């Protein structure tokens, strides 16, 4: 067994001061049992916990670490920016550079506003869609997570699923009565939702490749269908690319699938590991934001110079496109290796992958939506998770989370992972 005494002591202490010992619920390992470990240091594809154990990391801080941990260009940019002050509260040049970089990569974004998290980005995009269209209702999809703002916390994927209460206490029913939830990949359900709410739907918000209930892909034509239908109804199509943006391609899922949404939300990768969010889209819509228009949105630390410096360094490293080639190659290697290991162990596994995002569901049936994902054998996943952890491989501590590969994951990391999976799958079969 790996020594974890320091992590255990830290967690015992944390429990005294922080609810559940964690500052974000999935970190608590409730879905897999046991206790979280504490990380002291990270570099490239690896984490080192408080007891000195080395782990290959497939969580990548839930997506942002696409270049690997402590990427030199980002570390240097943050160090340099910090010497000039950590926050100004007045415009700084890096905000302009960041906005230009996002626009260059994502053509549907004509104007963009920076904020501090993906939650803020989605919450603000929804408010903007409502303000612009002067309509109240929004449509979201089962299992898609758009942050923890009240009106979006309905059937919202992993965190909520894991804890068995899909809606949070403390959210008045009145706050979510304008949120319509339909199954992903179900065109008839979307049509029915529009038919039942004529002229009332402000926006359809969607993770173009949902990665918060594991990972499943849009069926061919589904995103095109959403694009066409929303245009017909004067409804805004909002792509929540907080996870997929700058990960599936420099231009995100919308570049990969050739869709032009009205609004897009970003976060994670664009912050290079610092707290950043952004939302942007058609200028006509974005200009409804204060101070130009009536839709209010603000932030003391928005456009923070350290976060901008980190984000710009990350985007600079990604711009050559070489990173995405490497990520695709490693993704394929992992998919092939794990698939073969599962077959040899005679364990039914559905390995869904899109570029460097993946999820192994313990089920024999294809997974296209939340209902399919729920068929995954959670108990088997928990044994797999702990088995892998003992082997020095850190997967997300829930059967309903996507895994992430970084550019720093070398072919040999993937080989080690596949070899470990082979041993673990045989043991738990
Ligand atoms: C992570 C995530 C969010 C929320 O972002 P935070 O920075 O955690 O607030 C929103 N949408 C999607 C798709 C995400 O993956």
């Amino acid at each position: 067994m790996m020594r974890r005494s320091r992590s255990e002591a830290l967690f015992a202490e944390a429990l005294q001061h922080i609810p559940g010992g964690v500052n974000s619920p999935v970190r608590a390992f409730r879905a897999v049992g046991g206790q979280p470990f504490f990380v002291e240091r990270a570099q490239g594809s690896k984490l080192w916990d408080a007891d000195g154990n080395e782990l290959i990391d497939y969580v990548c801080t839930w997506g942002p670490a696409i270049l690997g941990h402590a990427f030199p260009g980002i570390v240097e940019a943050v160090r340099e920016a910090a010497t000039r002050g950590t926050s100004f509260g007045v415009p700084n040049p890096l905000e302009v550079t960041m906005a230009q970089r996002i626009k260059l990569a994502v053509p549907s974004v004509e104007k963009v506003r920076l904020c501090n998290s993906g939650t803020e980005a989605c919450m603000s995009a929804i408010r903007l869609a409502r303000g612009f269209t002067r309509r109240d209702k929004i449509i979201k999809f089962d299992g898609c997570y758009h942050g923890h703002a009240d009106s979006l916390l309905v059937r919202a994927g992993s965190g909520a699923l894991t804890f068995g209460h899909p809606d949070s206490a403390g959210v008045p029913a009145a706050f979510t009565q304008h949120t319509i939830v339909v199954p992903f990949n179900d065109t008839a359900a979307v049509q029915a939702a529009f038919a039942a709410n004529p002229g009332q739907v402000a926006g359809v918000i969607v993770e173009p490749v949902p990665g918060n209930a594991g990972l499943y892909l849009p069926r061919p034509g589904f995103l095109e269908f959403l694009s066409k239908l929303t245009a017909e109804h004067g409804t805004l199509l909002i792509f929540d690319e907080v996870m997929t943006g700058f990960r599936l391609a420099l231009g995100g899922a919308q570049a990969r699938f050739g869709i032009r949404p009205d609004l897009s939300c970003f976060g994670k990768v664009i912050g290079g590991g610092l707290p950043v969010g952004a939302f942007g889209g058609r200028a006509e819509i974005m200009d409804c934001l204060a101070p130009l228009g009536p839709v209010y949105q603000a932030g003391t630390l928005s456009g923070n110079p350290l976060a901008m410096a980190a984000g710009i360094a990350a985007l600079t490293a990604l711009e050559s496109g070489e990173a995405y080639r490497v990520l695709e190659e490693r993704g394929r290697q992992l998919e092939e290796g794990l698939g073969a290991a599962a077959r040899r162990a005679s364990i039914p596994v559905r390995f869904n992958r899109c570029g460097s995002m993946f999820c192994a569901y313990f089920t024999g049936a294809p997974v296209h939506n939340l209902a399919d994902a729920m068929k995954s054998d959670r108990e088997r996943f928990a044994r797999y998770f702990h088995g892998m952890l003992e082997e020095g491989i850190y997967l997300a501590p829930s059967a309903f989370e996507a895994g992430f590969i970084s550019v720093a994951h070398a072919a040999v990391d993937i080989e080690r992972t596949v070899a470990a999976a082979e041993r673990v799958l045989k043991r738990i079969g």
Side-chain angles (χ1 to χ4, degrees):
M1 286 284 282
M2 252 181 205
R3 230 177 82 92
R4 297 220 179 77
S5 53
R6 254 203 92 218
S7 274
E8 281 162 19
L10 282 163
F11 192 57
E13 191 64 28
L15 285 168
Q16 306 292 311
H17 313 295
I18 303 171
V22 292
N23 284 313
S24 195
V26 257
R27 294 181 197 169
F29 277 35
R30 291 290 173 94
V32 290
Q35 295 192 347
F37 57 87
F38 281 68
V39 170
E40 203 98 90
R41 185 167 72 82
Q43 179 74 55
S45 61
K46 313 251 169 53
L47 303 173
W48 284 269
D49 73 10
D51 293 281
N53 299 305
E54 179 182 297
L55 300 160
I56 300 177
D57 178 23
Y58 288 98
V59 179
C60 292
T61 185
W62 305 93
I66 193 169
L67 295 159
H69 293 287
F71 182 73
I74 295 177
V75 173
E76 198 37 54
V78 172
R79 204 197 306 275
E80 205 268 326
T83 62
R84 285 179 282 127
T86 56
S87 177
F88 310 129
V90 287
N92 73 77
L94 297 178
E95 296 172 78
V96 185
T97 307
M98 186 72 173
Q100 286 169 327
R101 293 297 188 84
I102 292 173
K103 282 182 54 174
L104 201 64
V106 189
S108 72
V109 173
E110 296 168 1
K111 285 196 177 172
V112 59
R113 180 157 283 176
L114 292 151
C115 53
N116 301 290
S117 69
T119 294
E120 276 185 44
C122 296
M123 178 183 81
S124 305
I126 292 294
R127 183 180 300 153
L128 179 56
R130 286 172 163 158
F132 177 77
T133 60
R134 298 168 194 273
R135 300 175 183 179
D136 289 338
K137 297 214 166 22
I138 55 167
I139 294 177
K140 81 174 281 291
F141 294 90
D142 230 1
C144 283
Y145 178 65
H146 306 295
H148 60 276
D150 284 344
S151 71
L152 292 167
L153 208 51
V154 188
R155 301 180 63 85
S158 162
L161 292 175
T162 299
F163 303 107
H165 41 81
D167 301 310
S168 170
V171 179
F175 289 17
T176 54
Q177 75 183 21
H178 296 303
T179 307
I180 302 158
V181 187
V182 295
F184 189 74
N185 271 327
D186 187 337
T187 54
V190 180
Q191 258 155 350
F194 270 98
N197 300 278
Q200 297 173 68
V201 184
V204 171
I205 186 165
V206 63
E207 287 182 74
V209 179
N212 278 287
L215 181 83
Y216 35 85
L217 277 75
R219 285 185 196 276
F222 183 67
L223 297 174
E224 289 82 352
F225 160 83
L226 291 181
S227 178
K228 187 157 171 284
L229 194 70
T230 48
E232 278 166 20
H233 287 268
T235 296
L236 301 188
L237 179 61
I238 307 166
F239 267 18
D240 178 356
E241 297 232 40
V242 171
M243 187 183 281
T244 53
F246 297 85
R247 173 161 285 278
L248 294 184
L250 196 63
Q254 54 194 276
R256 209 165 164 122
F257 294 95
I259 307 285
R260 198 181 169 96
D262 298 295
L263 291 175
S264 302
C265 306
F266 300 97
K268 298 196 169 119
V269 169
I270 61 161
L274 272 79
V276 181
F279 61 105
R282 278 162 49 200
E284 170 199 18
I285 304 169
M286 292 303 290
D287 285 345
C288 288
L289 284 174
L292 292 181
V295 179
Y296 195 70
Q297 187 274 339
T300 301
L301 295 174
S302 294
N304 174 268
L306 298 194
M308 296 299 102
I312 292 164
L315 300 196
T316 301
L318 291 170
E319 269 159 12
S320 77
E322 170 66 8
Y324 299 101
R325 197 191 55 73
V326 172
L327 291 169
E328 184 64 43
E329 201 173 290
R330 298 284 183 271
R332 192 172 316 119
Q333 188 190 351
L334 189 66
E335 177 172 3
E336 285 167 6
L338 288 184
R343 280 193 298 280
R344 280 197 288 273
S346 303
I347 292 187
V349 170
R350 277 287 156 171
F351 194 86
N352 284 358
R353 180 177 72 87
C354 190
S356 56
M357 293 165 62
F358 65 88
C359 181
Y361 293 105
F362 285 100
T363 171
V367 178
H368 298 294
N369 57 32
L370 180 63
D372 296 339
M374 296 305 285
K375 292 178 193 142
S376 184
D377 183 340
R378 284 180 242 195
E379 221 186 287
R380 186 173 257 165
F381 175 81
R383 279 180 279 141
Y384 175 65
F385 169 84
H386 283 293
M388 291 298 273
L389 195 57
E390 275 301 310
E391 294 269 0
I393 314 290
Y394 179 48
L395 303 167
S398 161
F400 304 111
E401 294 288 351
F404 299 96
I405 301 168
S406 81
V407 177
H409 284 73
V412 34
D413 289 325
I414 309 281
E415 281 162 26
R416 269 180 59 189
T417 305
V418 169
E422 174 117 30
R423 286 189 290 274
V424 173
L425 288 170
K426 280 197 177 123
R427 262 205 314 278
I428 66 169

